[in-house]
Amino acid sequence: MLSGKVLVAQGGGPTAVINQSMVGAVLESRKFRNVERVYGAFHGVRGIVNEDLLDLTQETTHNLEMVAETPSSALGSTRDKPDLPYCQEIFKVLKAHEVKHFFYIGGNDSSDTVRIVSEEAAKARYDLRCVHIPKTIDNDLMVNDHTPGFPSAARFVAQAFMGINLDNWALPGVYIGVVMGRHAGFLTAASALGKKFPDDGPHLIYVPERVFDIDAFLASVKETYERHGRCVVAVSEGIHDSAGTPIITRLAKEVETDAHGNVQLSGSGALGDLLAETVREKLGIKRVRADTLGYMQRSFVGCVSDVDQREAREVGEKAVQFAMWENRHGSVTIHRTGFYSVDYQYSDLNAVAGKTRTMPDQFIAPAGNDVTDAFRMYLRPLLGSGLPDSFRLRANYVPKVLGR
Amino acid sequence: MLSGKVLVAQGGGPTAVINQSMVGAVLESRKFRNVERVYGAFHGVRGIVNEDLLDLTQETTHNLEMVAETPSSALGSTRDKPDLPYCQEIFKVLKAHEVKHFFYIGGNDSSDTVRIVSEEAAKARYDLRCVHIPKTIDNDLMVNDHTPGFPSAARFVAQAFMGINLDNWALPGVYIGVVMGRHAGFLTAASALGKKFPDDGPHLIYVPERVFDIDAFLASVKETYERHGRCVVAVSEGIHDSAGTPIITRLAKEVETDAHGNVQLSGSGALGDLLAETVREKLGIKRVRADTLGYMQRSFVGCVSDVDQREAREVGEKAVQFAMWENRHGSVTIHRTGFYSVDYQYSDLNAVAGKTRTMPDQFIAPAGNDVTDAFRMYLRPLLGSGLPDSFRLRANYVPKVLGR
């Protein structure tokens, strides 16, 4: 076991349970005698470079537990992707502070950061154990059955569409809800878990794993509207045409990109508005509404899966245990072992880093505009206990007297 | 007491607790011997005209209780505003079915419908007791301290901004959240209840009770961004310039209006996107995001105030009691009698119908971009029990070694 300090950091988009992982890693680290201090970096790798560090050994267990229950990265986050000079700066700080264990909680971009830092550490012959702790609402990490953060975001999306369906039933029309998910449709597909009755929405679900054809979309909306007098659509922000061009870029005047070269899809209502306008114009339906679920999906306070909470805590704990008892870098991965149970493994960073998992074919209905029961079986246990339910009045019709 | 049937209907935008009021009225009505049957109209007044009625006397108490817990109008809703011929059609159906008590759950448009129906009933010498049961997330009904549906929507907005603030703290930038509220800023102001620490957002809150000046807005965003390195803004969909022109109409290509002559402000991300683009262009801030909270505000399942639930139930019960024991039409109104307690009165329809209440001056900070503690005191008890809390890590800074 390496003696020295532990450094924990959080990267990428916040989730509802990312602090569970941080607190799991911090509290577990504090149990080990070889750990001198447990530091937290403010705003991910940028905090390391800037030497903005917090001493988490001086934080009370009680406050750590309260922070664990609080959504969004308590240490702050960053979108920075370290290159070689950036990593050399990281090393200077890690060396200066005698950090020997580096835990980075994040998605595929962050796991790639961990991989680069571990490689640079090896090149520099600096004795550092680098561990990636999984986190992403997109659920797009390789090797993992699913990733912490996704179940809570999925629960938010399911509950949102459960309510949207009830609202749309009361005041019928076409509703289009735009859900986060650049390349993976898991979160958009989660909207299906809000359905109870056969005629409940979302009636149509579009994920980025399939080509989005505007004419087929319009035909499906028309058909649903004619059958039910209304239509609720869940659509991923990442839908694209057959050439791979995101539907949103047809509209956006300027496409803002981040340091990773990602197109900025969130934080704008443009895609929903474009689709709503198209439905209004082409189908002549008057009441067409679009919402973009936006940042609430990952940061809403008060809609968390208890299963997600405990798994996020465990990957943080396991990260420390793997780092201490195994002599290698790695990524903690989640593996399903029952209906419902999971176990954790210590996987190779190269198997996870920088790669993107998408929805398997068996989760997407052949028509490409719905999910399958296999997906429902996959997702339901992740949503946790106490999921709200919806009820209807029974159809005891009063005989018409005037009979018009 | 009039002998005959009871008819209950729901109008306007659904809320999270509107079914509590419906179930309260139905269960209370079923206790009275003079009530032959309790009917529900499908989709408000339109359901009456179409003779689409449900017999709620044949509904189990158990299922009614489950429906009461379910958000959004279980009887369906409508935006129709009856004129004279419409009301004559209503009478034909009410007479044919021997309806003697008409309970309409809705906002100011619906209370106006109740008023017109009661007047037409008097003109037609038809013996009908008309009662308006209050409901609106906008909280804009006269006479009432507040209206059922508002507290739950306010709780959603507060929890949404609590999370948005945490997210924006982790990945700083400018965030603009657009909140429902055509003329009244109560719901937008509710975003302030998500604040805990002095530097928490929303840092700026814009309500339609004040003129929205784009230059003053930009100056305030700039100032906040320079002080905190970030800025969270809550803005009402109904903000307008000094000429009273909604800011959104500067952008919208076509303005869709409903039967009441209302401009359609919801179901589009246009206002948020316009404001975000303006901040980006004029202030040169790169990370600017906008969300429109949309229909989730009134229909999200799983974010309900227990205070709101019980009050919504009580106004339904009281409506029946007033209708049975008092010999007049009226509107059930809510009056605050303690910190925190309420009582219900039977007010004149003319005092409520078709009027709009807005935020009193003492709830809006003099600068016009924030709320006051008086507003916080007013709103907090309405949000109910179990409101989530947020926690931070303490600032135990690690001394810099490299000292850059």
Side-chain angles (χ1 to χ4, degrees):
Chain A
M1 260 188 265
L2 298 168
S3 283
K5 300 197 182 74
V6 161
L7 180 66
V8 183
Q10 299 173 313
T15 79
V17 297
I18 190 169
N19 292 333
Q20 291 283 359
S21 299
M22 184 267 288
V23 169
V26 170
L27 291 180
E28 188 67 12
S29 292
R30 280 164 42 160
K31 293 178 186 162
F32 283 83
R33 286 188 199 174
N34 59 311
V35 172
E36 225 174 86
R37 290 287 179 104
V38 181
Y39 287 173
F42 248 144
H43 295 290
V45 285
R46 189 152 51 85
I48 305 176
V49 169
N50 294 340
E51 227 186 328
D52 288 333
L53 308 175
L54 281 186
D55 185 355
L56 300 175
T57 333
Q58 295 191 50
E59 184 57 89
T60 64
T61 306
H62 185 81
N63 197 48
L64 283 170
E65 290 294 354
M66 301 313 284
V67 167
E69 299 274 327
T70 304
S72 187
S73 323
L75 284 169
S77 192
T78 179
R79 292 286 188 191
D80 285 4
K81 184 174 183 174
D83 55 8
L84 184 56
Y86 200 118
C87 284
Q88 288 169 338
E89 289 304 305
I90 290 176
F91 294 143
K92 279 186 196 160
V93 177
L94 295 179
K95 275 181 198 162
H97 288 272
E98 294 173 330
V99 170
K100 295 298 172 67
H101 298 91
F102 172 43
F103 298 99
Y104 201 28
I105 309 163
N108 33 31
D109 289 335
S110 300
S111 63
D112 205 36
T113 298
V114 173
R115 187 185 58 78
I116 297 171
V117 170
S118 74
E119 285 173 6
E120 293 308 314
K123 279 187 210 162
R125 295 168 185 260
Y126 181 80
D127 222 358
L128 180 72
R129 182 80 65 253
C130 296
V131 183
H132 167 245
I133 301 175
K135 174 262 9 164
T136 167
I137 64 163
D138 290 337
N139 201 35
D140 61 354
L141 289 188
M142 298 298 283
V143 188
N144 292 273
D145 175 78
H146 60 278
T147 48
F150 166 66
S152 293
R155 183 169 173 142
F156 180 88
V157 169
Q159 289 186 206
F161 273 89
M162 185 184 289
I164 284 160
N165 171 66
L166 291 166
D167 195 291
N168 182 265
W169 182 90
L171 286 172
V174 174
Y175 178 93
I176 299 160
V178 179
V179 183
M180 278 183 174
R182 198 177 301 274
H183 302 296
F186 291 104
L187 203 55
T188 305
S191 61
L193 276 286
K195 292 173 77 158
K196 178 172 175 173
F197 298 101
D199 61 333
D200 274 345
H203 308 96
L204 301 169
I205 298 171
Y206 295 96
V207 294
E209 283 80 357
R210 295 288 179 269
V211 167
F212 186 82
D213 182 90
I214 194 87
D215 294 323
F217 161 73
L218 287 169
S220 296
V221 170
K222 188 168 183 284
E223 194 198 341
T224 307
Y225 191 79
E226 282 168 0
R227 190 163 61 239
H228 298 302
R230 64 192 192 94
C231 182
V232 175
V233 185
V235 62
S236 165
E237 63 182 4
I239 52 165
H240 53 81
D241 63 18
S242 56
T245 312
I247 301 297
I248 196 173
T249 57
R250 292 187 181 182
L251 189 76
K253 273 192 283 178
E254 280 180 286
V255 175
E256 186 187 338
T257 58
D258 68 11
H260 296 262
N262 295 326
V263 175
Q264 190 239 315
L265 299 178
S266 302
S268 152
L271 176 59
D273 290 349
L274 166 72
L275 292 172
E277 211 169 296
T278 306
V279 169
R280 226 177 269 123
E281 276 175 20
K282 302 279 183 180
L283 301 183
I285 299 169
K286 192 169 185 282
R287 192 171 189 274
V288 185
R289 302 289 185 263
D291 278 335
T292 303
L293 273 63
Y295 286 93
M296 284 176 282
Q297 293 166 87
R298 71 183 191 199
S299 66
F300 191 79
V301 178
C303 182
V304 181
S305 156
D306 51 0
V307 170
D308 195 18
Q309 283 182 309
R310 71 172 186 245
E311 290 179 354
R313 174 65 74 103
E314 280 196 290
V315 293
E317 283 187 40
K318 288 304 297 179
V320 174
Q321 293 176 358
F322 285 136
M324 296 302 170
W325 306 114
E326 302 228 12
N327 191 25
R328 58 188 175 109
H329 309 292
S331 178
V332 182
T333 51
I334 302 183
H335 304 264
R336 194 178 295 227
T337 56
F339 188 75
Y340 171 79
S341 69
V342 291
D343 204 357
Y344 306 95
Q345 290 177 21
Y346 199 45
S347 298
D348 202 70
L349 275 171
N350 288 302
V352 177
K355 295 185 175 70
T356 298
R357 183 172 75 124
T358 56
M359 284 181 81
D361 287 344
Q362 71 263 30
F363 286 175
I364 306 171
N369 58 13
D370 202 356
V371 301
T372 61
D373 283 345
F375 176 73
R376 287 189 182 83
M377 285 284 284
Y378 164 78
L379 181 55
R380 182 57 191 89
L382 306 184
L383 301 181
S385 60
L387 196 69
D389 198 355
S390 67
F391 292 83
R392 286 185 182 182
L393 293 171
R394 297 198 178 90
N396 299 305
Y397 292 109
V398 174
K400 297 196 180 198
V401 174
L402 300 173
R404 289 172 302 189
Chain B
M1 257 187 267
L2 299 168
S3 283
K5 300 198 182 75
V6 161
L7 181 65
V8 183
Q10 299 173 313
T15 79
V17 298
I18 190 169
N19 292 332
Q20 291 283 358
S21 299
M22 184 266 288
V23 169
V26 170
L27 291 180
E28 189 67 11
S29 293
R30 280 164 43 160
K31 292 178 187 162
F32 283 83
R33 287 189 199 173
N34 59 310
V35 172
E36 223 174 88
R37 290 288 178 102
V38 181
Y39 288 172
F42 248 144
H43 295 291
V45 285
R46 189 152 51 83
I48 304 176
V49 169
N50 295 339
E51 227 185 327
D52 288 333
L53 309 175
L54 281 186
D55 186 354
L56 299 175
T57 333
Q58 295 191 50
E59 184 57 90
T60 64
T61 306
H62 185 82
N63 198 48
L64 284 170
E65 289 294 354
M66 301 313 284
V67 168
E69 299 273 328
T70 303
S72 188
S73 323
L75 285 170
S77 192
T78 179
R79 292 285 188 192
D80 285 5
K81 184 174 183 171
D83 54 9
L84 184 56
Y86 201 117
C87 284
Q88 288 168 339
E89 291 302 306
I90 289 176
F91 293 145
K92 280 186 198 160
V93 177
L94 294 180
K95 275 182 198 163
H97 287 272
E98 295 172 330
V99 170
K100 295 297 172 69
H101 298 92
F102 173 42
F103 299 98
Y104 202 27
I105 310 164
N108 33 30
D109 289 335
S110 301
S111 63
D112 205 34
T113 298
V114 174
R115 186 185 58 78
I116 297 171
V117 170
S118 73
E119 285 173 6
E120 293 307 315
K123 279 188 213 166
R125 296 166 185 259
Y126 181 80
D127 221 359
L128 179 72
R129 182 78 67 253
C130 295
V131 183
H132 168 243
I133 301 174
K135 171 266 8 167
T136 167
I137 64 163
D138 290 337
N139 202 36
D140 61 354
L141 290 189
M142 297 298 281
V143 189
N144 292 274
D145 176 78
H146 62 278
T147 48
F150 166 66
S152 294
R155 183 169 172 142
F156 180 87
V157 170
Q159 290 186 205
F161 273 89
M162 186 185 287
I164 283 160
N165 170 67
L166 291 166
D167 195 291
N168 183 265
W169 182 90
L171 285 173
V174 174
Y175 178 93
I176 299 160
V178 180
V179 183
M180 279 184 174
R182 196 179 301 274
H183 302 294
F186 292 104
L187 202 55
T188 306
S191 62
L193 276 287
K195 291 173 77 160
K196 178 171 176 172
F197 298 101
D199 62 333
D200 273 346
H203 308 95
L204 301 169
I205 298 171
Y206 295 97
V207 294
E209 283 81 356
R210 295 288 178 269
V211 167
F212 186 82
D213 180 270
I214 194 88
D215 293 324
F217 161 73
L218 287 169
S220 296
V221 170
K222 188 168 184 282
E223 194 198 341
T224 307
Y225 192 78
E226 282 168 358
R227 190 163 63 238
H228 298 302
R230 65 193 191 93
C231 182
V232 175
V233 184
V235 62
S236 165
E237 63 182 4
I239 52 166
H240 52 82
D241 62 19
S242 56
T245 311
I247 302 296
I248 195 174
T249 56
R250 293 188 179 180
L251 188 77
K253 273 192 283 181
E254 280 179 286
V255 174
E256 186 188 337
T257 58
D258 67 11
H260 296 262
N262 295 326
V263 175
Q264 190 239 315
L265 299 177
S266 301
S268 153
L271 176 59
D273 289 351
L274 165 73
L275 292 171
E277 209 169 296
T278 307
V279 169
R280 226 177 268 124
E281 275 175 20
K282 302 278 183 181
L283 301 183
I285 298 170
K286 192 169 184 285
R287 191 170 189 275
V288 185
R289 302 289 184 265
D291 278 335
T292 303
L293 273 62
Y295 287 93
M296 282 176 283
Q297 293 165 88
R298 72 183 190 197
S299 66
F300 190 80
V301 178
C303 182
V304 181
S305 156
D306 51 0
V307 169
D308 196 18
Q309 283 181 310
R310 71 174 185 243
E311 290 179 354
R313 174 65 74 105
E314 281 196 290
V315 293
E317 283 186 40
K318 287 304 296 179
V320 174
Q321 294 175 358
F322 286 135
M324 297 301 169
W325 305 115
E326 303 227 12
N327 191 25
R328 59 187 175 111
H329 309 291
S331 177
V332 182
T333 51
I334 303 183
H335 304 265
R336 193 178 298 225
T337 57
F339 188 76
Y340 172 78
S341 70
V342 291
D343 203 357
Y344 306 95
Q345 291 177 21
Y346 198 46
S347 298
D348 202 72
L349 276 171
N350 289 302
V352 178
K355 297 186 174 69
T356 298
R357 184 173 73 125
T358 55
M359 284 181 83
D361 287 345
Q362 70 263 29
F363 286 175
I364 306 171
N369 57 15
D370 202 357
V371 301
T372 61
D373 282 345
F375 176 74
R376 287 189 183 84
M377 285 284 283
Y378 163 78
L379 181 55
R380 182 57 190 88
L382 307 184
L383 301 181
S385 60
L387 196 70
D389 198 356
S390 67
F391 293 83
R392 285 184 182 181
L393 294 170
R394 297 198 179 88
N396 298 305
Y397 293 109
V398 173
K400 296 195 180 199
V401 174
L402 299 173
R404 290 172 300 190

